Amino acid sequence: MATALQSPPPSHPVLRLRLASGSGMPRPIDGAWWPRSYDLLAELPQLLAGLPRAWRHITSVTVNGATWSAVPGRIFVLNQVVRLHRTVAASAPHTIVLLAPGWGRWDLLVLPPDTTEDAAEPLMAAAASGHD
């Protein structure tokens, strides 16, 4: 009797992130992130680990306080302390702001975790292309 070999499931789920190309032009959104939950402590380490090296070390992250579960003032990610800030700004309820002092600021559209794949794909493509 032959048995089929199955590859083991990935130890970490694939990061659902789409970034705009580095055109050097300022843009309101630098890409889109589609987390699997609203647990920032579980989701943020994978996001930061998947960012381009050119973004350097992110030291500060700002999220919408009404969207994400409670977060502490800081978290240890990739051997460094990352400060977490919560805002209730109505102007950006579905974004996350990543800061690397002296290197840049990046704003990502955050798709709700329960977004279907059919709905997520065009939103992520539009955010990465710089279109509204």
Side-chain angles (χ1 to χ4, degrees), residues 62-67 86-95:
T62 302
V63 297
N64 186 286
T67 302
R86 294 168 57 105
T87 182
V88 290
S91 62
H94 300 289
T95 61

Side-chain angles (χ1 to χ4, degrees), residues 38-110:
Y38 283 117
D39 181 353
L40 192 62
L41 298 181
E43 300 290 340
L44 190 59
Q46 185 182 16
L47 171 64
L48 296 182
L51 294 174
R53 290 192 189 276
W55 289 25
R56 305 291 175 161
H57 295 288
I58 302 298
T59 61
S60 178
V61 174
T62 302
V63 297
N64 186 286
T67 302
W68 293 91
S69 58
V71 296
R74 65 187 130 203
I75 182 176
F76 196 69
V77 179
L78 300 173
N79 296 321
Q80 70 176 27
V81 173
V82 176
R83 297 197 184 284
L84 302 175
H85 305 279
R86 294 168 57 105
T87 182
V88 290
S91 62
H94 300 289
T95 61
I96 185 169
V97 178
L98 309 171
L99 292 174
W103 295 102
R105 169 190 167 142
W106 298 274
D107 293 33
L108 300 176
L109 173 69
V110 178

Side-chain angles (χ1 to χ4, degrees), residues 13-16 33-39 43 46 111-114:
V14 174
L15 178 62
R16 301 184 298 188
W33 176 43
W34 182 21
R36 288 179 165 70
S37 74
Y38 283 117
D39 181 353
E43 300 290 340
Q46 185 182 16
L111 278 63
D114 60 354

